[in-house]
Short mmCIF file of all heavy atoms in Angstrom, two decimals:
data_model
loop_
_atom_site.label_atom_id
_atom_site.label_comp_id
_atom_site.label_asym_id
_atom_site.label_seq_id
_atom_site.Cartn_x
_atom_site.Cartn_y
_atom_site.Cartn_z
N GLU A 1 -6.73 32.64 -36.79
CA GLU A 1 -6.42 34.03 -36.46
C GLU A 1 -4.93 34.20 -36.17
O GLU A 1 -4.30 35.18 -36.61
CB GLU A 1 -7.22 34.46 -35.23
CG GLU A 1 -8.71 34.55 -35.43
CD GLU A 1 -9.43 34.96 -34.16
OE1 GLU A 1 -9.53 34.12 -33.24
OE2 GLU A 1 -9.86 36.12 -34.08
N ILE A 2 -4.38 33.24 -35.44
CA ILE A 2 -2.95 33.28 -35.13
C ILE A 2 -2.14 33.27 -36.43
O ILE A 2 -1.21 34.07 -36.63
CB ILE A 2 -2.55 32.09 -34.24
CG1 ILE A 2 -3.19 32.22 -32.84
CG2 ILE A 2 -1.03 31.98 -34.11
CD1 ILE A 2 -3.05 30.99 -31.97
N HIS A 3 -2.52 32.37 -37.34
CA HIS A 3 -1.76 32.24 -38.59
C HIS A 3 -1.89 33.49 -39.46
O HIS A 3 -0.93 33.91 -40.12
CB HIS A 3 -2.22 31.00 -39.34
CG HIS A 3 -2.00 29.73 -38.58
ND1 HIS A 3 -2.52 28.51 -38.95
CD2 HIS A 3 -1.30 29.49 -37.44
CE1 HIS A 3 -2.16 27.59 -38.08
NE2 HIS A 3 -1.43 28.17 -37.16
N GLN A 4 -3.08 34.07 -39.46
CA GLN A 4 -3.27 35.28 -40.27
C GLN A 4 -2.44 36.44 -39.70
O GLN A 4 -1.84 37.21 -40.46
CB GLN A 4 -4.75 35.66 -40.32
CG GLN A 4 -5.03 36.92 -41.13
CD GLN A 4 -6.44 36.95 -41.68
OE1 GLN A 4 -6.78 36.20 -42.59
NE2 GLN A 4 -7.27 37.82 -41.13
N LEU A 5 -2.38 36.57 -38.38
CA LEU A 5 -1.57 37.62 -37.77
C LEU A 5 -0.09 37.46 -38.13
O LEU A 5 0.60 38.44 -38.47
CB LEU A 5 -1.73 37.61 -36.25
CG LEU A 5 -3.05 38.17 -35.71
CD1 LEU A 5 -3.23 37.78 -34.24
CD2 LEU A 5 -3.12 39.68 -35.88
N ILE A 6 0.39 36.22 -38.08
CA ILE A 6 1.80 35.96 -38.44
C ILE A 6 2.02 36.23 -39.93
O ILE A 6 3.01 36.86 -40.33
CB ILE A 6 2.19 34.51 -38.08
CG1 ILE A 6 2.20 34.32 -36.56
CG2 ILE A 6 3.55 34.15 -38.66
CD1 ILE A 6 2.38 32.89 -36.12
N ALA A 7 1.08 35.75 -40.77
CA ALA A 7 1.21 35.95 -42.21
C ALA A 7 1.32 37.44 -42.54
O ALA A 7 2.15 37.85 -43.37
CB ALA A 7 0.00 35.34 -42.92
N ASN A 8 0.52 38.24 -41.89
CA ASN A 8 0.54 39.68 -42.18
C ASN A 8 1.78 40.37 -41.63
O ASN A 8 2.24 41.37 -42.19
CB ASN A 8 -0.74 40.33 -41.68
CG ASN A 8 -1.95 39.91 -42.50
OD1 ASN A 8 -1.80 39.49 -43.66
ND2 ASN A 8 -3.14 39.99 -41.92
N LYS A 9 2.36 39.82 -40.56
CA LYS A 9 3.61 40.36 -40.05
C LYS A 9 4.77 40.15 -41.05
O LYS A 9 5.75 40.89 -41.05
CB LYS A 9 3.99 39.69 -38.72
CG LYS A 9 3.16 40.16 -37.53
CD LYS A 9 3.55 41.55 -37.08
CE LYS A 9 2.81 41.94 -35.80
NZ LYS A 9 3.11 43.34 -35.40
N ILE A 10 4.65 39.11 -41.89
CA ILE A 10 5.71 38.86 -42.87
C ILE A 10 5.28 39.29 -44.26
O ILE A 10 5.85 38.85 -45.27
CB ILE A 10 6.17 37.38 -42.85
CG1 ILE A 10 5.01 36.42 -43.14
CG2 ILE A 10 6.81 37.03 -41.51
CD1 ILE A 10 5.45 34.96 -43.27
N GLY A 11 4.23 40.15 -44.32
CA GLY A 11 3.91 40.83 -45.57
C GLY A 11 3.02 40.09 -46.55
O GLY A 11 3.02 40.40 -47.75
N LEU A 12 2.23 39.11 -46.08
CA LEU A 12 1.39 38.34 -47.02
C LEU A 12 0.02 38.96 -47.23
O LEU A 12 -0.72 38.55 -48.13
CB LEU A 12 1.24 36.89 -46.52
CG LEU A 12 2.53 36.06 -46.57
CD1 LEU A 12 2.28 34.66 -46.02
CD2 LEU A 12 3.08 35.97 -47.99
N ASN A 13 -0.39 39.88 -46.36
CA ASN A 13 -1.63 40.65 -46.58
C ASN A 13 -2.87 39.75 -46.70
O ASN A 13 -3.64 39.86 -47.64
CB ASN A 13 -1.49 41.53 -47.83
CG ASN A 13 -2.56 42.62 -47.87
OD1 ASN A 13 -3.03 43.07 -46.82
ND2 ASN A 13 -2.95 43.01 -49.06
N TRP A 14 -3.04 38.84 -45.74
CA TRP A 14 -4.26 38.01 -45.70
C TRP A 14 -5.40 38.83 -45.08
O TRP A 14 -5.16 39.65 -44.18
CB TRP A 14 -4.02 36.75 -44.87
CG TRP A 14 -3.08 35.76 -45.51
CD1 TRP A 14 -2.40 35.90 -46.68
CD2 TRP A 14 -2.72 34.48 -44.97
NE1 TRP A 14 -1.63 34.79 -46.93
CE2 TRP A 14 -1.81 33.90 -45.90
CE3 TRP A 14 -3.06 33.78 -43.83
CZ2 TRP A 14 -1.25 32.64 -45.69
CZ3 TRP A 14 -2.50 32.53 -43.62
CH2 TRP A 14 -1.61 31.96 -44.55
N SER A 15 -6.63 38.53 -45.51
CA SER A 15 -7.78 39.30 -45.00
C SER A 15 -9.02 38.44 -44.81
O SER A 15 -10.13 38.86 -45.11
CB SER A 15 -8.09 40.46 -45.96
OG SER A 15 -8.35 39.95 -47.27
N TYR A 16 -8.83 37.19 -44.34
CA TYR A 16 -9.98 36.32 -44.08
C TYR A 16 -10.80 36.87 -42.92
O TYR A 16 -10.25 37.36 -41.94
CB TYR A 16 -9.52 34.90 -43.74
CG TYR A 16 -8.77 34.21 -44.86
CD1 TYR A 16 -7.39 34.04 -44.78
CD2 TYR A 16 -9.42 33.76 -45.99
CE1 TYR A 16 -6.68 33.41 -45.80
CE2 TYR A 16 -8.72 33.14 -47.02
CZ TYR A 16 -7.36 32.97 -46.92
OH TYR A 16 -6.67 32.35 -47.94
N LYS A 17 -12.12 36.78 -43.05
CA LYS A 17 -13.02 37.29 -42.00
C LYS A 17 -13.32 36.23 -40.95
O LYS A 17 -13.48 36.53 -39.77
CB LYS A 17 -14.34 37.78 -42.61
CG LYS A 17 -14.19 38.97 -43.55
CD LYS A 17 -15.54 39.61 -43.85
CE LYS A 17 -16.53 38.64 -44.49
NZ LYS A 17 -16.14 38.25 -45.87
N ASP A 18 -13.44 34.96 -41.39
CA ASP A 18 -13.83 33.90 -40.46
C ASP A 18 -13.51 32.53 -41.07
O ASP A 18 -13.02 32.42 -42.20
CB ASP A 18 -15.32 34.00 -40.09
CG ASP A 18 -16.23 34.00 -41.33
OD1 ASP A 18 -15.83 33.46 -42.38
OD2 ASP A 18 -17.35 34.54 -41.23
N GLN A 19 -13.85 31.49 -40.30
CA GLN A 19 -13.57 30.13 -40.74
C GLN A 19 -14.34 29.77 -42.01
O GLN A 19 -13.85 29.04 -42.88
CB GLN A 19 -13.94 29.12 -39.64
CG GLN A 19 -13.14 29.24 -38.38
CD GLN A 19 -13.80 30.14 -37.35
OE1 GLN A 19 -14.46 31.12 -37.69
NE2 GLN A 19 -13.60 29.81 -36.07
N GLU A 20 -15.56 30.26 -42.12
CA GLU A 20 -16.39 29.89 -43.27
C GLU A 20 -15.77 30.39 -44.57
O GLU A 20 -15.79 29.69 -45.59
CB GLU A 20 -17.81 30.44 -43.11
CG GLU A 20 -18.76 29.97 -44.20
CD GLU A 20 -20.21 30.33 -43.92
OE1 GLU A 20 -20.49 31.00 -42.91
OE2 GLU A 20 -21.08 29.91 -44.72
N GLU A 21 -15.20 31.58 -44.54
CA GLU A 21 -14.56 32.12 -45.74
C GLU A 21 -13.36 31.24 -46.14
O GLU A 21 -13.14 30.98 -47.33
CB GLU A 21 -14.10 33.55 -45.49
CG GLU A 21 -13.54 34.22 -46.74
CD GLU A 21 -13.15 35.66 -46.51
OE1 GLU A 21 -13.51 36.24 -45.47
OE2 GLU A 21 -12.45 36.21 -47.39
N ILE A 22 -12.62 30.77 -45.16
CA ILE A 22 -11.48 29.87 -45.43
C ILE A 22 -11.98 28.54 -46.00
O ILE A 22 -11.43 28.01 -46.97
CB ILE A 22 -10.65 29.65 -44.16
CG1 ILE A 22 -10.03 30.98 -43.70
CG2 ILE A 22 -9.57 28.60 -44.38
CD1 ILE A 22 -9.46 30.96 -42.30
N PHE A 23 -13.06 28.01 -45.42
CA PHE A 23 -13.63 26.76 -45.91
C PHE A 23 -14.09 26.91 -47.37
O PHE A 23 -13.88 26.01 -48.20
CB PHE A 23 -14.82 26.33 -45.03
CG PHE A 23 -15.39 24.98 -45.39
CD1 PHE A 23 -14.76 23.80 -44.98
CD2 PHE A 23 -16.55 24.87 -46.14
CE1 PHE A 23 -15.28 22.56 -45.30
CE2 PHE A 23 -17.08 23.63 -46.47
CZ PHE A 23 -16.44 22.47 -46.05
N ASN A 24 -14.69 28.04 -47.70
CA ASN A 24 -15.18 28.26 -49.07
C ASN A 24 -14.02 28.34 -50.07
O ASN A 24 -14.19 27.97 -51.24
CB ASN A 24 -16.03 29.53 -49.13
CG ASN A 24 -17.37 29.35 -48.43
OD1 ASN A 24 -17.84 28.22 -48.26
ND2 ASN A 24 -17.97 30.44 -47.99
N GLU A 25 -12.87 28.80 -49.62
CA GLU A 25 -11.67 28.75 -50.48
C GLU A 25 -11.17 27.31 -50.60
O GLU A 25 -10.82 26.84 -51.69
CB GLU A 25 -10.57 29.64 -49.91
CG GLU A 25 -9.29 29.61 -50.74
CD GLU A 25 -8.20 30.47 -50.16
OE1 GLU A 25 -8.39 31.70 -50.06
OE2 GLU A 25 -7.12 29.92 -49.82
N PHE A 26 -11.15 26.62 -49.49
CA PHE A 26 -10.67 25.23 -49.44
C PHE A 26 -11.45 24.32 -50.40
O PHE A 26 -10.86 23.52 -51.12
CB PHE A 26 -10.77 24.74 -47.99
CG PHE A 26 -10.65 23.26 -47.81
CD1 PHE A 26 -9.45 22.60 -48.02
CD2 PHE A 26 -11.74 22.50 -47.38
CE1 PHE A 26 -9.33 21.23 -47.83
CE2 PHE A 26 -11.63 21.13 -47.17
CZ PHE A 26 -10.42 20.50 -47.40
N ILE A 27 -12.77 24.46 -50.45
CA ILE A 27 -13.56 23.56 -51.30
C ILE A 27 -13.30 23.80 -52.79
O ILE A 27 -13.49 22.90 -53.61
CB ILE A 27 -15.08 23.64 -50.99
CG1 ILE A 27 -15.63 25.03 -51.29
CG2 ILE A 27 -15.35 23.21 -49.55
CD1 ILE A 27 -17.14 25.15 -51.10
N LYS A 28 -12.85 25.00 -53.12
CA LYS A 28 -12.58 25.31 -54.54
C LYS A 28 -11.35 24.56 -55.06
O LYS A 28 -11.21 24.34 -56.25
CB LYS A 28 -12.38 26.81 -54.72
CG LYS A 28 -13.65 27.63 -54.58
CD LYS A 28 -13.34 29.12 -54.69
CE LYS A 28 -14.60 29.96 -54.42
NZ LYS A 28 -14.27 31.41 -54.39
N CYS A 29 -10.43 24.20 -54.16
CA CYS A 29 -9.21 23.51 -54.60
C CYS A 29 -9.12 22.08 -54.09
O CYS A 29 -8.08 21.45 -54.15
CB CYS A 29 -7.97 24.31 -54.17
SG CYS A 29 -7.77 24.50 -52.39
N THR A 30 -10.25 21.56 -53.56
CA THR A 30 -10.28 20.21 -53.01
C THR A 30 -11.49 19.47 -53.56
O THR A 30 -12.61 19.60 -53.04
CB THR A 30 -10.35 20.25 -51.46
OG1 THR A 30 -9.36 21.17 -50.98
CG2 THR A 30 -10.12 18.88 -50.85
N PRO A 31 -11.32 18.72 -54.66
CA PRO A 31 -12.47 18.13 -55.36
C PRO A 31 -13.39 17.30 -54.48
O PRO A 31 -14.61 17.33 -54.65
CB PRO A 31 -11.80 17.26 -56.44
CG PRO A 31 -10.46 17.89 -56.66
CD PRO A 31 -10.04 18.44 -55.35
#
């Protein structure tokens, strides 16, 4: 949450809802 708040302050427009959504992205790029 801290990282997403900072990311959005510098214009990256992140919109993750929770840890599980981040994990589901992570597994797509981590064989």
Side-chain angles (χ1 to χ4, degrees):
E1 293 179 287
I2 293 170
H3 298 169
Q4 179 155 289
L5 286 166
I6 292 172
N8 290 337
K9 285 286 186 184
I10 58 174
L12 292 178
N13 196 29
W14 291 3
S15 57
Y16 297 106
K17 296 194 301 291
D18 55 26
Q19 296 93 326
E20 186 171 3
E21 186 178 347
I22 296 167
F23 185 79
N24 289 338
E25 179 181 299
F26 165 69
I27 63 176
K28 289 176 185 174
C29 62
T30 312

